[in-house]
Amino acid sequence: VFDMAKGPVPGEMHLSDGQEPCAVGVCVHLNADDYAIGSHRPHHVAIAKGVNLDAMTAEIFGRETGLSRGRGGHMHLYDQAVNFSCSGIVGQGIGIGVGHALAIKMKGGSQVSVAWVGEGGANQGIFHEAMNLAGLWKLPYILIVEDNHWSVSVSKDRSTAIARNSDRAASYGAAGEYVANNDVWGVYAAARRAVDRARAGEGPTIIEVQTHRLQGHFVGDPQVYVSKEQKQALTDPIVIMRDRLISEGVMTQAQADEVEAQVQAQLEASEAFARSSPEPEPESVLETVFN
């Protein structure tokens, strides 16, 4: 658990472990110039979109070498090199994503714009306004709704009138798909169809993914609202994917171990880079601020 008063990471941390299929299954279809707009739980999308891991880690640590020189923190990551951004304001990325999609269409581009939001954020007014415009103007836009069942501590069945947000797509002339069981292969297939539709000028898609967060809303959340049975039912999609790839002969146990070792080494190197990077000078606090 992070001690926000003493630890190296300033502020809260909203981790996305457990929700990786929602990012990997989509971003594999995207190019560097396609737009990806994450939510306040953005790290899986950032990594899948190709955000520089050293700079992202340094930003989380609030260091000068970070993506935004340590000014943004983990909920406000931005990497222009791969057209990734996110926001700590719930639901804000929905409208930003539609804005990107409108710009693409006005310029005659071939890119697509993809935004991620939680199932609770899908109840924000911006969801309906943005999707109406995206459907009306047939914009190259895809909205990924990550249904992890909890809006902070409020369950979906106590906050949302319908079982599936993807069913709302019919109200906006959009396509809608629902992927159950946190299935990365299902996300991959649904995203492929959505990206093809968007690039062909056939309009937007809402994809809702039944996923789950393996930890609480934030690091240190005691999760008193989650029952013991619900916690025990959670599964790690990375472990599931690893086991399936091995069982189907796509990779051997040794190859899987090697990949994990490489990733672990990369993570440790990025952490070391962040920890050794300087903090911003207090005198620079007003730099990059528009008056």
Side-chain angles (χ1 to χ4, degrees), residues 137-176:
W137 294 334
K138 292 191 178 301
L139 300 181
Y141 179 62
I142 301 166
L143 180 61
I144 309 298
V145 181
E146 298 179 293
D147 174 17
N148 64 25
H149 190 69
W150 297 104
S151 302
V152 185
S153 58
V154 179
S155 63
K156 183 180 181 181
D157 53 11
R158 295 181 61 189
S159 65
T160 306
I162 59 174
R164 297 182 178 182
N165 284 295
S166 54
D167 290 344
R168 291 174 167 174
S171 300
Y172 312 111

Side-chain angles (χ1 to χ4, degrees), residues 15-280:
L15 302 184
S16 55
D17 45 333
Q19 300 185 190
E20 293 90 349
C22 305
V24 173
V26 177
C27 290
V28 69
H29 300 297
L30 303 182
N31 303 320
D33 64 347
D34 290 321
Y35 292 90
I37 307 94
S39 68
H40 68 282
R41 194 180 304 282
H43 308 130
H44 56 323
V45 180
I47 294 171
K49 189 59 169 68
V51 169
N52 183 283
L53 193 59
D54 285 353
M56 186 181 93
T57 308
E59 184 64 32
I60 291 172
F61 276 65
R63 303 306 172 98
E64 183 70 33
T65 54
L67 291 166
S68 298
R69 297 178 60 192
R71 272 72 169 171
H74 96 96
M75 288 190 289
H76 304 97
L77 305 173
Y78 174 67
D79 190 348
Q80 186 177 9
V82 293
N83 279 350
F84 173 83
S85 62
C86 60
S87 173
I89 300 175
V90 174
Q92 185 187 51
I94 302 174
I96 294 173
V98 169
H100 285 315
L102 176 59
I104 292 168
K105 185 165 186 176
M106 292 177 69
K107 294 179 179 179
S110 61
Q111 304 123 288
V112 299
S113 174
V114 187
W116 282 255
V117 69
E119 88 288 339
N123 290 326
Q124 296 276 33
I126 187 65
F127 175 95
H128 308 282
E129 297 174 33
M131 285 307 308
N132 183 63
L133 288 179
L136 180 65
W137 294 334
K138 292 191 178 301
L139 300 181
Y141 179 62
I142 301 166
L143 180 61
I144 309 298
V145 181
E146 298 179 293
D147 174 17
N148 64 25
H149 190 69
W150 297 104
S151 302
V152 185
S153 58
V154 179
S155 63
K156 183 180 181 181
D157 53 11
R158 295 181 61 189
S159 65
T160 306
I162 59 174
R164 297 182 178 182
N165 284 295
S166 54
D167 290 344
R168 291 174 167 174
S171 300
Y172 312 111
E177 295 208 40
Y178 183 82
V179 180
N181 301 321
N182 213 18
D183 178 16
V184 65
W185 288 270
V187 176
Y188 176 94
R192 174 77 277 167
R193 291 187 286 270
V195 169
D196 287 346
R197 289 187 75 249
R199 295 201 198 280
E202 297 175 3
T205 301
I206 297 174
I207 301 174
E208 183 166 51
V209 183
Q210 181 190 34
T211 187
H212 48 249
R213 61 187 197 211
L214 294 179
Q215 300 190 49
H217 174 64
F218 57 90
V219 175
D221 177 7
Q223 297 191 84
V224 295
Y225 48 87
V226 182
S227 69
K228 180 179 179 180
E229 292 73 24
Q230 288 173 319
K231 292 179 182 178
Q232 291 176 338
L234 298 177
T235 55
D236 188 336
I238 295 178
V239 174
I240 291 174
M241 185 173 191
R242 171 193 168 107
D243 291 346
R244 177 170 172 177
L245 292 175
I246 293 173
S247 67
E248 293 182 353
V250 177
M251 65 193 317
T252 65
Q253 181 80 37
Q255 289 172 327
D257 292 341
E258 182 180 358
V259 169
E260 289 189 357
Q262 291 173 349
V263 171
Q264 185 62 37
Q266 185 179 18
L267 294 174
E268 291 174 0
S270 293
E271 180 183 354
F273 171 79
R275 286 182 179 273
S276 64
S277 295
E279 295 182 351

